[in-house]
Amino acid sequence: MILTVTLNAALDVTYEVGALERGESHRVGVVRERAGGKGINVARVARALGCEVTATGFAGGVVGELIRDDLRGSGIVHDFVTVSGTSRRTLTVVETESGEATVLNEAGPRVLPEEWRAFLGHFGALAASASVVVLSGSLPPGVPVDAYAELARLAPGRVVLDADGTALTEGLRGRPDVVKPNADELTRATAAGRPVAERAGELRDAGAGTVLVSLGADGMLAVTPDGVWRAVPPEVVVGNPTGAGDAAVAATARALLLGRPWDELVRDAVALSAAAVAAPVAGDFDPDLYVRLLPEIAIEGLSCPS
Amino acid sequence: MILTVTLNAALDVTYEVGALERGESHRVGVVRERAGGKGINVARVARALGCEVTATGFAGGVVGELIRDDLRGSGIVHDFVTVSGTSRRTLTVVETESGEATVLNEAGPRVLPEEWRAFLGHFGALAASASVVVLSGSLPPGVPVDAYAELARLAPGRVVLDADGTALTEGLRGRPDVVKPNADELTRATAAGRPVAERAGELRDAGAGTVLVSLGADGMLAVTPDGVWRAVPPEVVVGNPTGAGDAAVAATARALLLGRPWDELVRDAVALSAAAVAAPVAGDFDPDLYVRLLPEIAIEGLSCPS
């Protein structure tokens, strides 16, 4: 089983308007609502790939209930810890005339110390039967900065960490099996002025087993204990890049679950990531494009297995 | 008792951001939520004035529950009919740097024919013990265009109608005691190219007993069965004009309840309306400013009582 953790789960709300004009009043045409947050996106993709998956994290208030309702409707097994605060919403205002998207992110509720302690017990019980644990996204207010290290240490299975800033750097102390920064996240987490492969090596030195650097249209660089691989997609896919990283993480979790070799993992992650860009909503992917791209991903081994 | 009707009640959500930039991602600093819609604003002001008031209308889904929760928290007696759809939200994005406000209005749920029939029975029972009924705001999808005429006919007490477009013009067939258009609403509801007093007379010809035209900083024109009055505030109040018309309606409802003469009614409506502009949120008013302005409103009788 894959267990995904979303400590800062959200209800993703989308408003469609003709054009957004500052200072004006707008009639909202279409309203869409869906459970979101990076770990929930990973769970959606992993489930669509046929994996057994459970989503956990914090949920609270009426927005938390809407998150649970949506997961139930989507057939995603979930077991969230209830917090006293109300879960956050993220609002995306999409302009139908131009396609421009403006995003407004609520902060999310403050997690109380006793709620965090309750989560540690809850997570421990779920992680005991998970082969792979995925830790994704930002930490809500009130959660310790080394939260991901603490969770990684409690997980007996493999651990994938996808985070930014101190949530990533402090999380490395928990020695996750895989971290998946994008280029910006890698830049923020490492010393300035060094090439990507060396920066990835820094994260390995700090505790990560393998570092998968997602490079957008340029594919992925994998710095693993068994060598370095570079995977490049055959074409640039135009669309919505939100959720592409989550698709790569879902592919990674499945490959770890199935014990696939690194080159196969990276190929799969790059194909699924590109297929996610082609889908308008984070957590979805274009299955036809995925199947078509998979054999066309160029894989290059940059150093021999040690 | 004053009964306020809000057929298209809303949860008014306010997001504070530094500056709103199209196409960018924003962190929302403060989130505020409050029950809204014109009739609910009238109920808030009437209650603050010490009147016995009941708010009714339609509410549905989780947003409807939040509307009810907020009314309960505000101590406003309410008795809404539950609809199968989910009540709408209105979002105001306020920029803390400039004060600029951008508004996004959801459409609201479609009311089913059987839900409208249920409302008519519910309203009839409440209106039987109401001395004044206030009908305010837009009509939700699914409600007949002459909804306000139907409700006005069912009310044994006095009726105040505050609506726009066909909701207003069709509502006149129910012969409301008072209608309160602003200048734009009066323009839309009447023939082009005539002075305000003549346009107000047109609404009386079409069924309104008295027409109160709210003129913003220029005060109010009252065309009544007993003569015409003009009331002008002593100063221009700077602030948020949203809700100023609702305050004028609340003053009107109270004056009808207490049987006050028209000149006194108009003075009160103009003072309370200006005091509402000074309050940042619709449904509130500045009580000190209200008391200070009240004796300073200039009242002019434009024609003798007939």
Side-chain angles (χ1 to χ4, degrees), chain B residues 132-294:
Chain B
V132 180
V133 167
V134 173
L135 308 171
S136 287
S138 59
L139 300 174
V143 158
V145 69
D146 62 345
Y148 284 142
E150 212 169 343
L151 296 179
R153 285 189 206 104
L154 284 173
R158 317 291 292 273
V159 173
V160 184
L161 171 62
D162 181 12
D164 192 9
T166 53
L168 168 58
T169 51
E170 292 290 325
L172 294 173
R173 296 170 190 269
R175 309 196 70 79
D177 296 273
V178 178
V179 298
K180 194 224 60 63
N182 61 32
D184 288 344
E185 289 163 350
L186 185 66
T187 301
R188 282 191 283 272
T190 52
R194 300 177 64 192
V196 169
E198 285 184 29
R199 286 169 180 268
E202 270 187 55
L203 296 194
R204 291 198 66 223
D205 295 345
T210 284
V211 180
L212 304 177
V213 187
S214 53
L215 300 165
D218 292 331
M220 180 173 272
L221 179 78
V223 180
T224 83
D226 309 312
V228 177
W229 281 272
R230 175 76 190 271
V232 181
E235 61 195 73
V236 174
V237 177
V238 178
N240 173 21
T242 310
D246 302 329
V249 169
T252 302
R254 179 175 64 165
L256 293 176
L257 190 72
L258 302 176
R260 295 278 165 79
W262 291 113
D263 58 342
E264 211 175 292
L265 181 157
V266 173
R267 176 194 300 280
D268 198 44
V270 170
L272 197 61
S273 199
V277 171
V281 181
D284 290 350
F285 63 94
D286 178 336
D288 296 336
L289 185 63
Y290 169 52
V291 170
R292 180 165 74 71
L293 287 179
L294 200 53

Side-chain angles (χ1 to χ4, degrees), chain A residues 11 13 15 17 20-29 31 33 62 66 69 89-91 93 95 98 100-107, chain B residues 11 13 15 17 20-29 31 33 62 66 69 89-91 93 95 98 100-107:
Chain A
L11 187 72
V13 181
Y15 277 3
V17 300
L20 181 63
E21 293 180 69
R22 261 187 82 214
E24 296 299 317
S25 213
H26 305 76
R27 192 181 288 261
V28 176
V31 180
E33 294 190 340
V62 287
L66 292 172
D69 288 350
R89 289 168 299 196
T90 70
L91 174 68
V93 182
E95 301 180 39
S98 64
E100 191 83 68
T102 303
V103 178
L104 296 150
N105 290 313
E106 297 183 12
Chain B
L11 187 71
V13 182
Y15 277 1
V17 300
L20 181 62
E21 293 179 69
R22 261 189 81 215
E24 297 299 316
S25 213
H26 304 75
R27 190 180 291 259
V28 177
V31 180
E33 293 190 341
V62 287
L66 292 172
D69 288 349
R89 288 168 298 195
T90 70
L91 176 67
V93 182
E95 302 180 39
S98 64
E100 191 83 70
T102 303
V103 178
L104 296 149
N105 290 315
E106 296 183 12

Side-chain angles (χ1 to χ4, degrees), chain A residues 31 36 51 57 62 79 83 94 109 128 136 152 170 205-206 210 235 237 247 252 257:
Chain A
V31 180
C51 300
V62 287
D79 193 352
V83 279
V94 176
S136 286
E170 292 291 322
D205 295 343
T210 284
E235 62 195 70
V237 176
T252 301
L257 189 73

